[in-house]
Amino acid sequence: MYKTVQGVERGLKILETINEIGCRATCHQISVITGIHRTTVRRYLETLVALNYIQRSADDTFFYLSPNVRKLSDGYRHESVHSPKTLELMNELTAHVMWPADLSTFKLDSMLVIESTHRSSRLSLTTSMIGKRLPMLMTASGKAYLANCSDKQRKYILDILKNGTSLDARLAGDETYLNRVLAETRRKGYGQNSGEWGEYSKIASIAVPVYVQGELFGSLNIIFHRSYMSPDEAAEKFYDYMLEKARLIGESLRI
């Protein structure tokens, strides 16, 4: 049996620790939590910065995960998260509203679609949504998640977005926009978008949060043509039904 490689073990432990801290971390914090000497931690941090898995603050005090870390999970498949019942419930939703639905969960700096009915919906604009990453501040799913997650996680997500290069970077720094979107989403009970994401300028969407054992897991959305109805019109027709399906889907998930 081969011995573990200490360097790999330490590097991964440092990445895990920064993730667990949930925001920008100092070298001292990482050293205390991992039990690795501060000088050694600093050496690993410099290497991870050079590899673009970690970013540092302008004053060289704080370190935080880079969006590049998401490459480490791109090959991970989520089949084990949900059961056949999950897709059955989503297909029932699509049969009722006619439009395709997506189930997504937060991953690093975006919402990751882990299940979808686009492939079975006659009204879908695409058949390949599983694995698609949705911007946090331009999509109904992202807004629904941000409005319902904890204050600590929201700050963590926004810090990542502000310091990243994603489509959300500018919006994450606009407090007026953020406050308006979060207040509107909480008041209505659902996230919405209508052509805000340039890649899908012809569509609109509404999304509700999905909880598993009382903990926020992700969002359930439906997507439709903007010319057919507005998000508010969709919510008037389908909001209550979506909420019930989101509850049942949450019960079907295996976390």
Side-chain angles (χ1 to χ4, degrees):
M1 182 175 180
Y2 294 104
K3 293 182 180 179
T4 59
V5 179
Q6 188 179 55
V8 175
E9 185 178 354
R10 285 180 169 179
L12 291 174
K13 184 63 177 177
I14 288 171
L15 288 173
E16 290 174 355
T17 300
I18 296 175
N19 183 58
E20 289 169 3
I21 289 173
C23 59
R24 293 176 294 179
T26 66
C27 182
H28 176 70
Q29 285 176 308
I30 298 169
S31 177
V32 170
I33 293 173
T34 61
I36 303 172
H37 192 276
R38 184 171 177 174
T39 302
T40 304
V41 168
R42 183 70 189 203
R43 193 168 70 247
Y44 277 89
L45 289 173
E46 292 295 335
T47 299
L48 291 167
V49 167
L51 293 171
N52 196 28
Y53 286 115
I54 288 177
Q55 295 175 335
R56 70 174 108 216
S57 61
D59 62 3
D60 203 32
T61 301
F62 298 102
F63 296 85
Y64 48 92
L65 297 180
S66 161
N68 199 46
V69 171
R70 72 186 187 186
K71 290 181 179 179
L72 297 175
S73 63
D74 277 348
Y76 174 70
R77 304 301 297 173
H78 289 77
E79 285 84 352
S80 62
V81 172
H82 52 84
S83 67
K85 184 65 175 177
T86 306
L87 183 56
E88 178 185 330
L89 290 164
M90 291 180 65
N91 280 327
E92 290 174 2
L93 172 61
T94 289
H96 180 80
V97 306
M98 295 191 300
W99 299 96
D102 297 317
L103 175 66
S104 58
T105 187
F106 174 71
K107 206 73 175 174
L108 297 173
D109 66 347
S110 55
M111 297 298 290
L112 178 67
V113 178
I114 62 171
E115 189 54 277
S116 172
T117 64
H118 280 264
R119 58 187 176 273
S120 59
S121 171
R122 294 183 295 105
L123 299 178
S124 176
L125 294 174
T126 178
T127 58
S128 56
M129 281 300 291
I130 295 179
K132 184 79 174 178
R133 293 184 179 275
L134 312 178
M136 297 299 298
L137 295 170
M138 297 181 187
T139 64
S141 294
K143 293 173 185 177
Y145 190 91
L146 276 173
N148 289 282
C149 67
S150 67
D151 291 341
K152 180 180 179 180
Q153 187 180 26
R154 188 179 308 108
K155 181 181 183 304
Y156 168 68
I157 294 171
L158 293 175
D159 280 346
I160 289 177
L161 297 180
K162 289 175 188 175
N163 292 285
T165 58
S166 71
L167 298 172
D168 288 319
R170 179 183 60 81
L171 293 176
D174 186 339
E175 290 194 15
T176 300
Y177 174 82
L178 284 173
N179 291 336
R180 176 175 61 79
V181 166
L182 293 174
E184 178 183 58
T185 303
R186 290 168 182 149
R187 175 175 58 83
K188 292 184 173 182
Y190 58 88
Q192 67 177 58
N193 72 281
S194 185
E196 296 168 45
W197 186 11
E199 187 175 340
Y200 294 96
S201 60
K202 295 182 179 181
I203 70 165
S205 178
I206 60 173
V208 296
V210 175
Y211 293 88
V212 177
Q213 297 179 344
E215 296 292 328
L216 181 64
F217 172 81
S219 300
L220 174 69
N221 73 6
I222 58 171
I223 297 175
F224 44 90
H225 290 275
R226 293 174 60 197
S227 60
Y228 183 81
M229 61 183 167
S230 70
D232 287 341
E233 288 172 333
E236 185 176 353
K237 293 180 179 179
F238 307 128
Y239 175 67
D240 290 339
Y241 190 83
M242 285 183 67
L243 274 185
E244 176 61 13
K245 287 302 179 186
R247 182 185 69 79
L248 294 173
I249 286 170
E251 293 177 356
S252 76
L253 296 171
R254 300 191 298 259
I255 307 301

